[in-house]
Amino acid sequence: MSLSRFYETTFLMTQNEQAVVEGGRRAPRPPIHGPEGFEGMRKAGRLTAEALDVLMEATAPGVTTEALDRLAYEFAMDNGAYPASLLYRGYPKSICTSINHVVCHGIPNDKPLRDGDIVNLDICLIVDGWHGDSSRMAYVGEVPRKAARLCEITHECLMRGIAAIKPGGSTTDIGRAIQAYAEAERCSVVRDFCGHGLGRIYHDAPTILHYVEPSYDVTFEPGQFFTVEPMINLGRPAVKVLSDGWTAVTRDRSLSAQFEHTVAVTETGVEVFTYSPKGLHQPIDPSA
Ligand code: MF3
Ligand code: CO
């Protein structure tokens, strides 16, 4: 989600939830979930990952993102789930499809995918009231080496961010791990969009920044659920949102990639809810 929307959400939540002031910014205390929540999130996370497996296998040159969207909607309906993005704040589709220099929130349309594109497929399925949110990059045919490299770096950023999660640590550990790796690889971390708490609601506390921001830091406790969803650019970090109100692109038109998992803080570390049952964590490389 976007940072400004997060603060709107936060404001609404402070009406009836306990709020704490951290670094001068109001942040509601993240909810702590029990065994029932973990069970619910395992189901929602698994179905979300299965949906992404289907979408990745359907991605090919000539396929439209609208066709992928329809596939996602039908998959949700067939499995007793609802796509959280559909009609969310007016968003018209079941998935986001963000191609090449689109950073996030690309809206599926009738334009065919082209050989060499990289596309982020983002879906959040609600199952029995619980939200599983995940995204992956897919290759359209054979992609240029620099595009594949960006996708590999971004997936590594996600996994390094997740590996930094343990009880007693804090949200800054994620941002530090991701920013250090991305910048060592001469890439940049997008600042304008963040990960988020989720569970029975789509966007909750805590906010997960993918870079170090000293004024925002929330301590991890077992039972917190949130997404980690770094957006990494080959060029500069700046983004702008197009006139459709959703599509975010890099200002310098450099390539951008994103991967997202839904995770929980556990007693001993972290649990990932959205691993691919088919092992399709990274793009399918037709040339490999
Ligand atoms: N993973 C993105 C997020 O959590 C997906 C947004 S869907 C949209 O913000 F409807 F908000 F576009
Ligand atoms: Co998300």
Side-chain angles (χ1 to χ4, degrees):
M1 71 173 160
S2 77
L3 271 187
S4 59
R5 287 210 180 108
F6 167 73
Y7 290 117
E8 261 173 57
T9 314
T10 301
F11 177 74
L12 293 174
M13 291 197 307
T14 55
Q15 311 296 309
N16 49 20
E17 284 184 47
Q18 203 180 356
V20 291
V21 175
E22 273 154 332
R25 285 177 181 170
R26 252 168 212 288
R29 186 166 294 157
I32 302 297
H33 300 276
E36 187 200 348
F38 276 81
E39 276 315 307
M41 292 299 277
R42 284 180 192 127
K43 265 182 83 178
R46 185 178 176 88
L47 196 69
T48 298
E50 285 170 1
L52 283 177
D53 286 350
V54 169
L55 295 178
M56 285 181 77
E57 288 177 333
T59 300
V63 173
T64 68
T65 47
E66 217 155 63
L68 296 176
D69 180 72
R70 206 169 315 120
L71 204 53
Y73 181 78
E74 281 162 12
F75 181 90
M77 292 304 118
D78 290 348
N79 288 281
Y82 184 82
S85 70
L86 186 59
L87 306 180
Y88 174 79
R89 292 174 181 268
Y91 187 78
K93 297 288 181 180
S94 298
I95 59 175
C96 299
T97 50
S98 303
I99 303 166
N100 297 336
H101 72 294
V102 178
V103 173
C104 63
H105 302 169
I107 304 174
N109 62 23
D110 59 5
K111 244 182 83 185
L113 290 164
R114 292 161 50 146
D115 188 55
D117 285 344
I118 55 171
V119 56
N120 175 271
L121 306 169
D122 189 338
I123 185 164
C124 176
L125 289 182
I126 309 172
V127 181
D128 300 334
W130 297 96
H131 290 71
D133 194 3
S134 187
S135 83
R136 300 181 206 151
M137 300 303 294
Y139 295 160
V140 182
E142 280 192 41
V143 309
R145 181 60 210 148
K146 65 168 189 176
R149 176 178 167 269
L150 174 65
C151 293
E152 286 158 15
I153 290 166
T154 306
H155 186 260
E156 182 67 17
C157 282
L158 170 64
M159 298 318 290
R160 285 181 184 226
I162 291 172
I165 301 167
K166 57 176 189 312
S170 74
T171 53
T172 303
D173 299 338
I174 297 177
R176 192 182 302 107
I178 290 172
Q179 186 174 14
Y181 184 73
E183 291 178 359
E185 294 293 331
R186 300 179 314 284
C187 293
S188 64
V189 180
V190 170
R191 309 303 205 251
D192 303 73
F193 298 92
C194 55
H196 50 92
L198 78 177
R200 288 194 172 279
I201 48 179
Y202 190 6
H203 291 128
D204 203 346
T207 290
I208 303 298
L209 302 175
H210 304 107
Y211 59 98
V212 176
E213 168 51 61
S215 73
Y216 183 86
D217 189 51
V218 175
T219 301
F220 291 138
E221 287 176 49
Q224 291 169 348
F225 298 160
F226 51 81
T227 70
V228 183
E229 46 180 308
M231 285 139 276
I232 306 296
N233 299 347
L234 273 186
R236 314 237 352 126
V239 311
K240 68 175 179 199
V241 175
L242 301 185
S243 58
D244 61 20
W246 288 102
T247 311
V249 301
T250 54
R251 278 186 181 272
D252 63 7
R253 296 187 68 84
S254 66
L255 286 179
S256 186
Q258 179 179 28
F259 285 85
E260 173 179 19
H261 275 310
T262 294
V263 308
V265 183
T266 66
E267 297 293 336
T268 53
V270 64
E271 176 173 344
V272 178
F273 293 126
T274 46
Y275 277 138
S276 165
K278 290 197 170 176
L280 300 177
H281 307 296
Q282 294 194 60
I284 304 164
D285 188 347
S287 68

